[in-house]
Amino acid sequence: MTTDLDQLRQNLVASIDAATGLDALEAIRVQALGKQGAITGLLKTLGGMSPDERQAQGPRIHGLREAVTGALAARKDALEKAALDARLAGEKLDMTLPVDGVPAGSVHPVSQVMDELAEIFADLGFAVASGPEIEDDWHNFTALNIPETHPARAMHDTFYLAGEHERPMVLRTHTSPVQIRTMMANKPPIRIIAPGRVYRSDSDATHTPMFHQIEGLVIDKGITLGHLKWTLETFLKAFFERDDIVLRLRPSYFPFTEPSAEVDVGFTWTNGKRVIGGSGDAAGGGWMEVLGSGMVHRKVIEAAGLDPTEWQGFAFGTGVDRLAMLKYGMDDLRPFFDGDLRWLKHYGFSALDVPTLSGGVGA
Ligand code: PHE
C-alpha cells in the first residue's frame, strides 16, 4: 500500500508537470480527483477500514490528495502565465519601428481645402464658427426667411428626423443656420466662415447625400455689395492661386439674401480640361457657377435679434467638395467618400504640407 501510494503520487505529479495545456491538466485532475478518480476511490476506502488501519492510512491518503491538488494549482498558474506572456509577446507593437511598407495616411482633399479656406479667410480677419449637423427647422429654415410653406423646403430634399421633438429636427441642408447661431451668440461686427457637413437626399456623380459647404458672413455698419465682390474676388484669387480670376455676379434668388447673386468664375478649355482663370467670354472660355451669395435679408437680421436699420451685411455659401474638384481635377464626387486607399493615396496630401499663404495655400 505504501509503495502504491508513493508510486501514484510520483506518476500523477510527473504527468501534471508534463501537461502542456489547460485541457490536459483538467483531464489529469478528473482522473485523480473526479468522481471516479483514483484518489477519490482511495478516500472512499477509508470508511471500510479498521480504526487502526484508518489512523495509519488516513493521513497518507489525505497527504496524497493535498500534494496532487497543490501540484495541479501550481501547474495551472504556470500554464496561464505562459499563455498570457505568449499573447503579450504576440500583440507587442514596436512603436519605434519606421513605418516602411505600411501605407501612410494622407490628408483628404476636403480637409485640405477646408484648411486652405481657413488660412485664406483668417488673413482677411474672419473667425471660424460652427453649428450642429442635427439642426432644428427654425434655424435651418424659418429664421432664414424660409417659412413652413416655402417651396425652398422641398427644393432642399431635407432629411427629417423621426420622433417627437419640441421643434422638428432635420439634418442641416446647408451651413446657413450657422449665420443665425453666430448672430444670436455674438455682438456685431461679425466676420466668420463656417465650414462643415451638410445633408440632402440626392445622389449621382456630382451629388452625395452628405457633402461639405462653407458659409461666410459679415455683419457691420454700411456693408455693401462692393465689399462682397471684393471679398469673393480676393478669396478666389488666393484659393486658385491666380491673379487673372474674373468673376461674374448673376442676379439670383435665395430667401435669406436680398439682393442675391450667383457667382461664376471664368475658365478656359486647355487640353480638354477646364482651367480656372480669364474671362469666360473670351474665345474658348466659359463660366462656371461657384458660389451663392447676397446681402443678408433684413428679416434674417431681425430673426437673429439684431436691428436691421443698424446692422447690414453679406453672406455667401459654396460647396467645399466642388472647390476641391475644380482645384485638384477630380471629376466624380462619389469616390470622395468611398474610403478607397488608392484614391486617397493619389489625391491625398501629406500631413506635413500645412497650407500657408506665404508657401502657396495648396503647398
Ligand atoms: N445656403 C445656400 C445653399 O445652400 C448658399 C448661400 C449661402 C446663398 C449664403 C447665399 C448666401 O445653396
Side-chain angles (χ1 to χ4, degrees), residues 157-179:
D157 300 312
T158 311
F159 286 114
Y160 283 89
L161 268 71
E164 287 291 313
H165 308 280
E166 206 176 309
R167 288 171 173 169
M169 301 299 280
V170 302
L171 294 182
R172 67 177 180 190
T173 57
H174 51 177
T175 43
S176 299
V178 184
Q179 289 187 31

Side-chain angles (χ1 to χ4, degrees), residues 11 37 65 99 102 138 152 167 232 252 316 323 331 334 338:
N11 290 348
R65 189 186 60 176
V99 286
V102 181
W138 187 83
R167 288 171 173 169
L232 295 181
S252 182
F316 57 88
L323 286 180
D331 47 20
R334 289 166 295 193
D338 282 347

Side-chain angles (χ1 to χ4, degrees), residues 156 173-174 176 179 200 213 215 254 256-257 292-294 315-317:
H156 277 204
T173 57
H174 51 177
S176 299
Q179 289 187 31
R200 291 184 199 175
Q213 282 191 341
E215 193 82 8
F254 299 102
F256 33 92
T257 45
S293 69
F316 57 88

Side-chain angles (χ1 to χ4, degrees), residues 19-281:
T20 52
L22 291 170
D23 289 348
L25 197 65
E26 174 63 9
I28 298 169
R29 190 195 64 79
V30 171
Q31 251 175 53
L33 300 165
K35 267 194 188 149
Q36 317 287 328
I39 297 175
T40 313
L42 287 169
L43 286 166
K44 281 183 193 154
T45 62
L46 288 173
M49 289 177 188
S50 69
D52 283 353
E53 222 179 343
R54 192 180 308 131
Q55 203 158 30
Q57 293 303 322
R60 298 184 50 83
I61 297 174
H62 281 294
L64 169 63
R65 189 186 60 176
E66 253 151 59
V68 170
T69 307
L72 280 167
R75 186 71 190 143
K76 188 166 181 236
D77 263 7
L79 285 173
E80 279 173 352
K81 187 170 176 304
L84 182 62
D85 284 348
R87 203 175 131 202
L88 289 176
E91 290 176 3
K92 194 168 82 178
L93 273 184
D94 185 349
M95 306 296 278
T96 65
L97 278 178
V99 286
D100 262 8
V102 181
S106 59
V107 174
H108 194 284
V110 170
S111 304
Q112 172 76 16
V113 166
M114 282 187 177
D115 289 349
E116 291 178 17
L117 296 172
E119 172 72 13
I120 292 167
F121 279 103
D123 194 55
L124 298 176
F126 284 64
V128 175
S130 64
E133 289 168 34
I134 297 175
E135 187 56 283
D136 59 66
D137 79 337
W138 187 83
H139 285 92
N140 195 80
F141 293 123
T142 314
L144 288 163
N145 195 30
I146 312 177
E148 223 160 287
T149 51
H150 200 286
R153 290 202 178 199
M155 259 160 54
H156 277 204
D157 300 312
T158 311
F159 286 114
Y160 283 89
L161 268 71
E164 287 291 313
H165 308 280
E166 206 176 309
R167 288 171 173 169
M169 301 299 280
V170 302
L171 294 182
R172 67 177 180 190
T173 57
H174 51 177
T175 43
S176 299
V178 184
Q179 289 187 31
I180 305 297
R181 290 186 176 275
T182 306
M183 282 189 269
M184 294 182 85
N186 299 279
K187 271 204 171 122
I190 290 169
R191 264 180 292 189
I192 58 107
I193 54 165
R197 296 192 185 98
V198 300
Y199 302 83
R200 291 184 199 175
S201 178
D202 207 352
S203 186
D204 60 36
T206 52
H207 298 88
T208 50
M210 185 281 298
F211 59 104
H212 300 83
Q213 282 191 341
I214 188 163
E215 193 82 8
L217 174 70
V218 168
I219 299 286
D220 207 332
K221 293 186 174 166
I223 297 290
T224 70
L225 262 181
H227 296 117
L228 169 64
K229 190 175 183 213
W230 180 87
T231 304
L232 295 181
E233 208 169 84
T234 305
F235 145 51
L236 291 167
K237 280 180 180 170
F239 179 72
F240 288 110
E241 298 173 53
R242 304 178 62 122
D243 276 332
D244 63 345
I245 298 288
V246 182
L247 297 194
R248 185 175 77 172
L249 269 67
R250 258 181 309 112
S252 182
Y253 173 76
F254 299 102
F256 33 92
T257 45
E258 181 59 36
S260 303
E262 257 160 350
V263 182
D264 300 334
V265 286
F267 67 87
T268 42
W269 287 103
T270 312
N271 300 327
K273 280 207 167 239
R274 291 171 194 198
V275 175
I276 303 284
S279 165
D281 291 332

